[in-house]
Amino acid sequence: MDTNDQYGGHHRTPGRARLVVAAGAAALALSAGLATPLNPAPQQARAADDGGRTLTVAVAQSVDSLSPFLAVRLLSTSIHRLTYEYLTNYDPEDNHVIPGLATKWESSPDKLTWTYTIRANSTWSDGKKATAEDAAWTFNTMMTDSGAATANGSFVANFEKVTAPSPTRLVIKLKKPQATMTALDVPIVPKHVWEKVDDFSKFNNDKDFPLVGNGPFVLTDYKPDSYVRLKANKDFWRGAPKFDELVFRYYKDQDAAVSALRKGEVSFVAGSPSLTPAQADSLKGEKNIKVNDAPGRRFYALATNPGARTRSGEKMGDGHPSLLDQRVRNALFRAVDRETVIDKVFQGHAVEGAGYIPPRYEQYFWEPEAGQELAYDPKEAARLLDEAGLKRNGAGKRVGKDGKPIVYRVLCHATDPNDKAIGQYLQEWWGDLGIGVTLNCLDNVTDPWLAGEYDLAFDGWSVNPDPDFVLSIHTCAALPATPEETGATDNFICDRTYDELYDRQLAEYDPDKRAALVKQMQSRLYDLGYMNVMAYPNAVEAYRTDQIESITTMPAAAGNIYGQDGYWSWWSAVPADSADGGGDSSSTGVVIGIVAGAVVLAGLGAFVALRRRATAEDRE
């Protein structure tokens, strides 16, 4: 969480940071404001160093890594979409697959060999041509080096062989059919730069700038927990961005970011991961500020430590043993009032959660059947706890098998007001059951999450048009190989029945049959009770119309700006004082450019309709 976008700074935190914020953020602004390491002299809407225009985006998430092989947080994977091309992309109008680095693709009749034509007009920012050899090297490195497979290894786990017979021809041979071959959300890196790396598990790609890439922007500077600076790539094959510079500026305090937007110090703010209802309401009606409030592509959940372990079964962490009992997990979720979460915390800027795929992706959206739902029922929750043997003591506290009162540690993001607000409700709801709650709100929840040192944690991911990635993070194969290593797992879940369903959906090319399997997988996860999806938050973000004339949302009808499955928002953004400005925030101009280069999927029939991750990221 493009990966894998994770939450606001999550793991490589929950979901390895994939809790990614669906709402995302977007458009940066002609830079600005107060004296900071990013902008030494106070000024509004400042020009870039070369006299051009700068778009500054306020973000509340830190970069976990600038290496595409390691990054999973939404901010990081969004940056990689801006700096590296993927084989394919997603149309901003409706998410359907379109050409990226590959101009066309076709499969053999048995679907085991895929041939991609690599465009001849993509150039690395150091002047060298981007070729099929770069793509083959990227995939082969992920296939042979566990460190390089950290973030996106699930995409290549089924690859048997990858070759580049010519500079414009890439051939991937599979072990078995794989339905995600037009949704390989993997940044392709320049071989001549990356082949010098010794240890992919430790190389963060954050020392030497500018970074060599072939996307619409070139990353020129970075300071941890402060800013990321990118310059427009004037040689980008689809056309240069209209802003000359793009800056992501980090704000630990979300109210400070909103204040910076009001002052014109930033052009765009998305929050952590979205604006709170109070913040959004305070901005509505303000001069030169537009609030974008659209259905999101993210789920918001409460994750239970299922007994963290490695792939070989070696135990990790210190999760409370009572949570290994499904009755206890179900009892806790029976005592979560989703209506209150939606009405009081999100104040209507979200819909009630159920499965892992938000209703924005209608094809894969799932809801529990009658009798299956873990509906709010405190009395049933108390009964389940009694049945599980967690009895009350004389003081009314539930005690474990060791005779000690149960107090669950809940990991939460210090920068996310929703975590804290819902955490206070958990203290009330679970307190009524005789269970204590300690909120452990951290700036970075990655370390305890990866170590399995938590009882429960706030989790979430941005889901892509194709849901494979967000499903893969719950397979047994995603567990870490050793306690010291980082796996791709979101929450240490390992269930053989789920794994069998995952393998079946990955090999299923019929869209309807695959969707049915994906829904079965969500049902299985729901019944296991390790994750309680409480809500699907809206993408609530805002930008200054006196700095940004127009910007593309994804999807076009009602979509997000920040954290898109693609680079459309920042690439399309038009400065307010630009001569080529165009009115409303539509994606018409982008779509026209895409249609001109559109290619028909060869030999796949209805498969062209498949959608890929609406990034977590993410992955997120």
Side-chain angles (χ1 to χ4, degrees), residues 227-424:
Y227 64 85
V228 180
R229 189 187 298 273
L230 305 98
K231 292 275 190 179
N233 181 0
K234 303 300 183 182
D235 298 320
F236 183 51
W237 68 268
R238 202 186 289 277
K242 296 176 179 60
F243 275 93
D244 300 284
E245 186 176 61
L246 176 63
V247 176
F248 292 93
R249 182 183 296 175
Y250 176 73
Y251 286 84
K252 181 177 179 179
D253 183 273
Q254 189 162 301
D255 286 332
V258 171
S259 177
L261 182 75
R262 280 198 176 90
K263 297 174 183 177
E265 296 169 5
V266 300
S267 302
F268 179 96
V269 61
S272 61
S274 61
L275 298 179
T276 66
Q279 289 167 340
D281 289 344
S282 74
L283 292 173
K284 288 177 180 176
E286 286 223 5
K287 185 180 179 180
N288 298 325
I289 291 179
K290 179 178 176 61
V291 175
N292 183 47
D293 187 349
R297 64 185 231 293
R298 169 178 165 262
F299 67 77
Y300 182 86
L302 190 62
T304 303
N305 188 331
R309 61 198 183 284
T310 66
R311 227 170 291 158
S312 63
E314 183 179 354
K315 294 182 179 179
M316 298 170 56
D318 57 3
H320 201 287
S322 65
L323 295 172
L324 300 180
D325 191 320
Q326 185 173 349
R327 294 169 297 185
V328 175
R329 300 193 298 270
N330 286 353
L332 294 178
F333 298 156
R334 286 277 196 179
V336 171
D337 186 351
R338 289 181 178 84
E339 262 188 52
T340 294
V341 169
I342 301 302
D343 295 341
K344 302 297 185 183
V345 178
F346 290 100
Q347 295 181 29
H349 297 274
V351 294
E352 284 191 40
Y356 274 54
I357 315 298
R360 171 163 160 174
Y361 304 111
E362 183 178 358
Q363 182 180 15
Y364 299 112
F365 178 62
W366 171 87
E367 292 182 287
E369 298 177 356
Q372 183 183 13
E373 183 182 4
L374 297 173
Y376 180 58
D377 188 342
K379 289 184 178 179
E380 175 63 9
R383 188 195 69 77
L384 287 169
L385 292 176
D386 288 340
E387 185 180 296
L390 304 186
K391 305 293 186 181
R392 292 181 185 266
N393 62 16
K397 306 296 184 183
R398 300 274 176 179
V399 297
K401 293 182 179 179
D402 58 2
K404 297 180 180 178
I406 295 175
V407 179
Y408 291 133
R409 302 159 300 160
V410 180
L411 271 179
C412 77
H413 301 80
T415 57
D416 192 338
N418 294 329
D419 283 9
K420 296 175 183 177
I422 295 173
Q424 290 175 357

Side-chain angles (χ1 to χ4, degrees), residues 441-480:
C441 296
L442 306 173
D443 290 334
N444 180 2
V445 301
T446 297
D447 291 342
W449 191 289
L450 291 178
E453 295 171 352
Y454 63 97
D455 297 325
L456 298 104
F458 290 102
D459 190 7
W461 288 78
S462 291
V463 180
N464 303 304
D466 185 291
D468 178 74
F469 180 82
V470 79
L471 298 173
S472 74
I473 59 178
H474 297 304
T475 60
C476 299
L479 294 173

